[in-house]
Amino acid sequence: MSLGMEEAEGKMSDSQLADEELKAVVDTKSARYPIPSNDPNDPLNWSTTAKITTYATICLFSFIANVNGSNFTVAIQALTRQFHIDANRATWLTGFNVLMFGLGNVIWVPLMRVVGKRPVYLLALVVFVAANAWSTRATSFGSLLGGRMVAGFGASAADATVPSVVADMFFLDQRGHCMMFFHFALSSGIFLGPLINAYVVELHSWRTSCEWIGIAGGAIFIMAIFFIRETQYNRERQQWPEDQVPAKRSYLGWLSLTVGYNNDKPARRFLVTFWDIMCMACYPPVFWTGCLVGLFVGWTIVIQVTASQIFLKPPYKWVLHKVGLFSLSGFVGVVLSFYFGGMLIDLIANRAGRTDHTIKPKPEKRLIALIIPFVLSPVGLIIYGECMAHHTHWPGQAVGYAMHSFGFTAVANIAIVYAVDCYQAFAGEALVIVFVIRNVIALVCSFYTNQWIAEKGLESVTGTMAGIQWAVLLLAVPIYFFSKRILSFTNTYGPMKRMQRDL
């Protein structure tokens, strides 16, 4: 009887077998998706320690990468004096760094698909450290701008690749919460970076800010050598016969740079991945996620730039480190969003799965959690703009900044986890487009913030910003109700069509 069942199972196609396995576990409380293989080297089967050390090191890289992106927002006056330029040109150092922070993944993600994630992180950290060393020795504005752009390119590997790592190592019901650690690291870099660098620039110089970031990058590189395992699993997930289960790889085996290498036509794979990234720009959920996250990043840059300029002038006349301390209000919003942008969206999505008796992802269910930032974030922008325009006491601006920062972190996590759930097989490619759109919007904001405020006034600008934010957030409503149709439509072209054809 059992022998006959084994023979019948052996004749099943891989997709049929996967469906049978899915049906078998869907009604059990312990059901998890995706279904792991019985290979001990499958990242889903790793020990908790292996997962935490790998992910924590990558999150540290993400933290310092975002500190690197915001380090010159508090050094504008020092840079204008050093290179005899105006404030608008000084913001190029932030703007072009942020642009490369997005565009860099157009190279890193295709390379990741060929050589694996571990070599990409190690190479990117080397580039990051070298570029910061270059910046500390720059003697002209052009040279410094070049150093900041290369630093942004190196830092970008700690951005769009990370959700793919999460999808490699963690089950569906864990992803929202696990992704929140990434966004907590990212947001902490953005909001604590100005605080740290304000003290560094005031007590030393802008060159020292590049020095300490380079040293921190070097320390993380050493950690990465010993702690980051290769999460790219190039085998098909299946249940191996007991006598064919692959041997468990040793710790030294995980230190190899070839574990994730895919030797199946690597040049073609690189080009196909590059083309998939371009196609992903035409997928509505991906494009909307990029615009939504980009607006929150862009408006955060507006707040940071205006705060660093207005608080240093009358009637406030703050010293530079006080401007840095003001960024703590943004960090408070980040901390408060940890639950609402992480565990809450897992709770909503998992409850929806139990209601529908399925363990397969229902991405649109995560969008319900956008209700809270929809109410808080745009109102925070308006409060910040009104208080700053009328030169009120600083707590008003701090509360507005905290409210917007709450939404910044929560929205980024909710929208990005939604995009990853929609296109799990192409999470890295989708996130490249999301972050390119995000950083292009951030670049435009950093370039034109001063001109826009000079023409319209801060009160009007923040009101307009809040209106745009509400409008883009409201697009989540039709996306929620038509999610299945949208995803079915995107299965008809691009990489999803190829995947459907290959099943």
Side-chain angles (χ1 to χ4, degrees):
M1 180 83 171
S2 61
L3 181 60
M5 288 178 65
E6 288 175 8
E7 290 176 352
E9 189 174 279
K11 293 178 181 178
M12 290 182 183
S13 67
D14 291 337
S15 59
Q16 287 174 324
L17 185 57
D19 287 341
E20 290 299 317
E21 290 173 341
L22 192 61
K23 290 174 184 176
V25 298
V26 75
D27 292 324
T28 67
K29 291 182 179 179
S30 60
R32 301 194 113 172
Y33 188 87
I35 300 170
S37 68
N38 58 347
D39 179 359
N41 302 310
D42 183 342
L44 289 172
N45 295 328
W46 287 357
S47 67
T48 301
T49 301
K51 291 182 179 183
I52 289 175
T53 52
T54 296
Y55 190 40
T57 307
I58 294 171
C59 286
L60 276 176
F61 185 15
S62 181
F63 169 76
I64 201 65
N66 283 277
V67 170
N68 176 77
S70 62
N71 72 325
F72 280 170
T73 57
V74 294
I76 291 175
Q77 290 192 351
L79 291 163
T80 56
R81 290 194 299 268
Q82 175 89 32
F83 296 108
H84 308 291
I85 55 175
D86 58 28
N88 191 55
R89 196 173 182 201
T91 61
W92 289 15
L93 296 167
T94 299
F96 280 107
N97 178 281
V98 168
L99 178 64
M100 293 304 296
F101 197 40
L103 292 178
N105 282 297
V106 176
I107 302 298
W108 291 126
V109 170
L111 187 62
M112 174 190 77
R113 293 297 188 195
V114 175
V115 303
K117 298 182 176 71
R118 175 176 162 83
V120 163
Y121 286 127
L122 293 177
L123 177 59
L125 279 162
V126 170
V127 173
F128 179 78
V129 172
N132 273 285
W134 169 2
S135 298
T136 63
R137 298 291 180 265
T139 57
S140 67
F141 180 78
S143 177
L144 181 59
L145 182 61
R148 302 320 299 150
M149 291 177 71
V150 175
F153 173 74
S156 65
D159 207 14
T161 62
V162 182
S164 180
V165 170
V166 172
D168 289 341
M169 292 194 299
F170 298 103
F171 294 97
L172 179 70
D173 58 294
Q174 300 171 317
R175 286 181 190 163
H177 183 52
C178 291
M179 277 290 292
M180 198 59 191
F181 285 97
F182 162 60
H183 282 105
F184 184 79
L186 181 154
S187 301
S188 296
I190 291 174
F191 294 108
L192 293 183
L195 168 62
I196 298 168
N197 286 306
Y199 276 98
V200 172
V201 173
E202 184 177 11
L203 298 176
H204 301 281
S205 72
W206 61 264
R207 294 184 188 277
T208 308
S209 70
C210 296
E211 286 176 357
W212 86 262
I213 290 172
I215 293 169
I220 294 170
F221 173 75
I222 294 172
M223 293 177 64
I225 291 174
F226 297 104
F227 294 139
I228 294 182
R229 294 189 177 200
E230 179 55 64
T231 68
Q232 188 154 287
Y233 189 68
N234 291 324
R235 293 180 174 181
E236 182 182 352
R237 283 198 166 107
Q238 61 179 341
Q239 299 305 309
W240 298 82
E242 286 188 16
D243 59 341
Q244 296 179 24
V245 175
K248 186 175 182 180
R249 189 174 290 114
S250 67
Y251 172 72
L252 290 177
W254 284 114
L255 298 184
S256 169
L257 296 177
T258 61
V259 173
Y261 179 69
N262 192 322
N263 60 1
D264 181 19
K265 301 177 182 177
R268 183 179 182 277
R269 179 174 293 274
F270 183 94
L271 294 173
V272 167
T273 304
F274 183 84
W275 176 246
D276 287 345
I277 290 170
M278 299 300 106
C279 292
M280 280 286 180
C282 300
Y283 283 12
V286 174
F287 186 80
W288 171 75
T289 298
C291 291
L292 181 61
V293 177
L295 284 176
F296 275 84
V297 173
W299 298 166
T300 299
I301 288 177
V302 171
I303 291 174
Q304 289 183 340
V305 169
T306 54
S308 66
Q309 293 178 1
I310 294 174
F311 280 135
L312 291 174
K313 299 176 182 177
Y316 299 102
K317 294 184 179 179
W318 285 8
V319 291
L320 191 56
H321 74 265
K322 282 190 176 181
V323 177
L325 287 170
F326 177 74
S327 66
L328 282 176
S329 58
F331 183 67
V332 169
V334 171
V335 173
L336 292 175
S337 73
F338 191 81
Y339 172 77
F340 292 100
M343 288 184 287
L344 179 62
I345 63 173
D346 277 342
L347 179 66
I348 293 170
N350 297 339
R351 183 167 294 177
R354 288 195 296 271
T355 302
D356 297 339
H357 304 289
T358 178
I359 59 171
K360 286 189 173 181
K362 296 182 74 67
E364 69 276 6
K365 297 298 182 182
R366 299 194 186 273
L367 299 179
I368 297 171
L370 287 174
I371 294 172
I372 299 172
F374 176 86
V375 173
L376 292 179
S377 297
V379 175
L381 273 175
I382 293 171
I383 291 173
Y384 174 84
E386 291 288 332
C387 291
M388 195 66 94
H390 292 91
H391 300 297
T392 65
H393 198 42
W394 65 267
Q397 292 92 318
V399 169
Y401 192 17
M403 291 171 68
H404 184 262
S405 300
F406 174 96
F408 170 89
T409 310
V411 165
N413 197 52
I414 294 165
I416 286 172
V417 173
Y418 163 73
V420 169
D421 282 356
C422 287
Y423 307 108
Q424 292 185 62
F426 301 97
E429 290 84 342
L431 270 297
V432 172
I433 293 300
V434 168
F435 292 145
V436 166
I437 295 171
R438 177 198 69 182
N439 289 21
V440 167
I441 293 174
L443 175 69
V444 171
C445 288
S446 68
F447 274 10
Y448 296 106
T449 292
N450 290 327
Q451 182 180 340
W452 190 13
I453 293 172
E455 292 178 359
K456 302 293 184 180
L458 184 59
E459 190 175 7
S460 174
V461 166
T462 52
T464 302
M465 287 159 51
I468 295 172
Q469 207 168 70
W470 266 317
V472 178
L473 280 165
L474 277 173
L475 289 175
V477 176
I479 290 174
Y480 177 86
F481 286 107
F482 296 101
S483 180
K484 290 183 179 178
R485 293 185 183 181
I486 293 170
L487 295 180
S488 295
F489 172 67
T490 58
N491 284 341
T492 63
Y493 63 96
M496 291 303 294
K497 179 180 180 179
R498 187 179 70 250
M499 190 180 79
Q500 296 295 320
R501 185 176 64 242
D502 293 342
L503 288 177

